[in-house]
Amino acid sequence: MGVTGAGKSFFINTLAGADVVKTGSTLDPCTANCEAVPVEIGRSKVLLIDTPGFDDSVRTDSEILTEISRLLAAFYQEGVSLKGVIYLHRITDIRYAGSQVKTLNIFKKICGELALKNVFLVSSRWHEVDEAQGASREQQLREKFWAYMLGHGSTMTRFYGTRDSAIGIASQLVSKQNIILEIQRELVDEGKTLKQTTAGAFVNDDITEMKARHEEELREIEHLRQTLRDNDRAMKRQVQLEWQREQQRLQTAQQDQERLRRDIAAEVRAEIEQKKESKKGSGLWKAMPFLPSLLGIVEMFVGIPPGSTSMLTSWLFDSGIGESVSQFFANF
């Protein structure tokens, strides 16, 4: 996880040893949706999840939190273990921007205090700064922005852009005990709606503030409309366009709050049960009940980039199923 442009997709490609997910050279988001990438770290088969940043220029925080929550709830309900979370940050950033602070706060609330010991705080793009400059910014991160998480067991490290560096980070994480994130407990064990979770409540509060600003802006635009003279047609058209844009922003905020009222765990449970019921008795379910369940969940709740299909196919053959990825999902 991390803000847009932190190097999440690049880290995964480096670890995988291939360009399996899209990367970019701009601050526009490369990861539009969650994507699953299979990699092998030593003898361990690991599924990495590439997530979009919460500062996405196209999708709202509510949309992204909902997507991530659905995946995490599905994994937890089906007994898929989670080793931890890697949070990436550009060491090239001169200051910690407001969007980065917000993303970090959402991230901490998704994880919860108990899971922070399985969080790796990783700084990237070290080749773009000299050592002294980077070390100074690293110290600021350690003493200020990341201090709480480090105090609760998180690990701070550097990603140098090489495969050895990526493997070293991932290997440390894979060796840890499994964890359960706070949002997984809240959604599945406690039956909370997304809005009732710690992360969801934080996002909802931010939306409430945005709604208030949009409503105030609409009142000011309406007042301006009433004071314009009838013959000032050009200005009236401009004001009308601005009113429509602000009205759309308000409507989006209202839709975001409505989305947070969903019972994510119940939705996910129903979708999985419906899928299982439709395929009950198939050869794959009888022969390898766990692996089809895992891969089926991946297909239902997260995208699989084309560059990852060869690795998944080899996993299927190693497990004795002997199916291609496309054949497997057709049978699932």
Side-chain angles (χ1 to χ4, degrees), residues 140-165:
Q140 185 182 31
L141 291 171
R142 180 183 295 108
E143 296 178 352
K144 185 176 181 181
F145 297 105
W146 292 352
Y148 174 82
M149 290 181 290
L150 293 173
H152 287 80
S154 296
T155 300
M156 184 175 182
T157 189
R158 300 178 180 183
F159 171 48
Y160 289 106
T162 65
R163 189 156 193 260
D164 285 344
S165 178

Side-chain angles (χ1 to χ4, degrees), residues 85-121:
V85 190
I86 296 173
Y87 185 90
L88 282 119
H89 171 80
R90 299 180 295 259
I91 200 63
T92 52
D93 290 351
I94 298 174
R95 60 183 61 86
Y96 221 82
S99 62
Q100 292 171 311
V101 173
K102 182 183 70 173
T103 295
L104 186 64
N105 283 330
I106 298 173
F107 173 74
K108 287 189 291 186
K109 295 177 190 305
I110 287 174
C111 294
E113 185 177 305
L114 295 177
L116 290 179
K117 62 183 182 297
N118 287 48
V119 167
F120 273 61
L121 301 167

